[in-house]
Amino acid sequence: RSSGGHEENQIDCHFQKLRKELNWYYHRIEHEQLSRKPVPLEEIDSLRRQAKARENELMRLLLEVPNPGAIGVALRNSKAATLEEIRCALLADAALLEYFAIGEQAFAAVVTASILKIVPLGASISFAHRLRRLQFQLSKFRLNGEYLATFHQTLLTSAQTHLRELYDSLIGPLADLLQGYRDLAIIPFGPLHSLPFHALFDGSAYLIDKFSICYGPSASIFVHGNRGRQRAEGPSLVLGVSDDRTPFINEEIQAVASVLPEPRD
């Protein structure tokens, strides 16, 4: 192998190593933020510094390495989607919500064919706390059957309360902007990647009852995966397999089929 090829291979390996380490640090930060036990802020800050150092090293390689390998070329040539590209990837009755943080404050960008609006949502750490409480509540549904049978309604009400708090924080401030839209593409950030947005509750209905929902890791990846997409027409096929542990699958199939065109099951 030529020395140039060897150098490219070393660069590619270094890119891979840095990306794996970054994924590990991002996962560790999220895990600590959502931990039931209090975690010292110094520990989370240390993890963030380690992640930042690796982000800087990735950027240095992209900018300074003269002949980067295949991975470097791919990263160098990649670019963020433009507003026009995002709008072209959205269907006429779709909206994209991208959540992000600047410093300690969280925001949501609402993008449609005619709207671009940035909405402040408050302190980003508050979402991690609310999500932690929701996850703790949902974990109780994994307890034994006797406990669930006794406290089912209490558990459901408590879970809905937490889902309502998150709805009020994350969707409520955007509700007027989403009027008239059918599809939502949601781009979370940080701990919100583990939040089931479709289950958010407004007090009478869940978000999935109002919108068809999809998720993406970034707006640019959403654009890449949806170029040229058209809404499917024709009959709908609904599949499901029930067993003793999931006794209501048939009812769920009927519920889904009732809102789809020409259902077949």
Side-chain angles (χ1 to χ4, degrees):
R1 185 179 176 91
S2 68
S3 60
H6 178 68
E7 180 184 359
E8 288 183 0
N9 186 57
Q10 285 185 318
I11 293 171
D12 286 349
C13 289
H14 193 30
F15 267 112
Q16 292 280 17
K17 181 174 180 291
L18 286 171
R19 293 174 69 183
K20 288 179 180 178
E21 290 177 355
L22 267 176
N23 286 336
W24 185 87
Y25 278 106
Y26 291 151
H27 177 76
R28 180 70 185 278
I29 290 169
E30 181 177 343
H31 179 271
E32 297 296 350
Q33 288 177 328
L34 297 177
S35 173
R36 298 179 188 176
K37 299 179 181 179
V39 179
L41 291 178
E42 295 80 4
E43 183 174 338
I44 295 179
D45 287 341
S46 176
L47 292 169
R48 286 173 173 165
R49 287 194 297 271
Q50 294 289 340
K52 186 64 176 177
R54 283 153 179 82
E55 290 173 355
N56 292 339
E57 176 65 5
L58 272 174
M59 184 60 66
R60 185 192 69 78
L61 287 175
L62 287 173
L63 296 177
E64 297 178 9
V65 174
N67 294 304
I71 293 175
V73 169
L75 289 172
R76 183 188 291 273
N77 292 337
S78 65
K79 61 183 181 67
T82 65
L83 176 60
E84 186 59 33
E85 288 172 332
I86 294 172
R87 284 176 164 162
C88 287
L90 291 170
L91 297 173
D93 54 358
L96 181 140
L97 309 182
E98 179 157 12
Y99 294 89
F100 62 96
I102 299 177
E104 300 300 322
Q105 297 299 307
F107 300 83
V110 182
V111 181
T112 71
S114 59
I115 295 173
L116 171 60
K117 183 76 172 180
I118 308 296
V119 181
L121 301 175
S124 57
I125 191 64
S126 65
F127 302 128
H129 293 325
R130 292 180 184 127
L131 181 55
R132 183 185 307 161
R133 292 196 293 268
L134 171 63
Q135 291 176 330
F136 175 71
Q137 189 63 39
L138 294 179
S139 71
K140 296 180 181 180
F141 285 92
R142 295 195 293 268
L143 298 175
N144 63 69
E146 182 179 351
Y147 180 88
L148 293 178
T150 303
F151 298 103
H152 171 77
Q153 188 56 51
T154 300
L155 292 173
L156 177 60
T157 300
S158 297
Q160 287 177 330
T161 297
H162 294 303
L163 290 166
R164 174 69 184 268
E165 290 178 354
L166 285 160
Y167 178 95
D168 289 343
S169 301
L170 295 167
I171 301 296
L174 319 174
D176 289 344
L177 298 172
L178 301 178
Q179 291 290 332
Y181 293 96
R182 172 179 170 181
D183 296 341
L184 284 185
I186 297 178
I187 315 298
F189 82 96
L192 297 184
H193 280 284
S194 60
L195 173 65
F197 278 84
H198 50 278
L200 296 183
F201 188 61
D202 68 359
S204 60
Y206 298 96
L207 196 63
I208 193 64
D209 296 325
K210 301 178 179 180
F211 302 97
S212 173
I213 296 173
C214 68
Y215 298 90
S218 73
S220 295
I221 292 176
F222 170 81
V223 168
H224 178 75
N226 288 275
R227 281 196 172 98
R229 178 171 66 100
Q230 300 294 325
R231 185 182 300 283
E233 302 292 344
S236 304
L237 177 63
V238 185
L239 300 174
V241 178
S242 63
D243 60 34
D244 292 340
R245 292 173 299 177
T246 54
F248 299 108
I249 293 297
N250 290 330
E251 288 82 353
E252 291 181 4
I253 290 174
Q254 295 303 319
V256 171
S258 69
V259 297
L260 292 176
E262 303 177 54
R264 296 170 53 195
D265 55 34

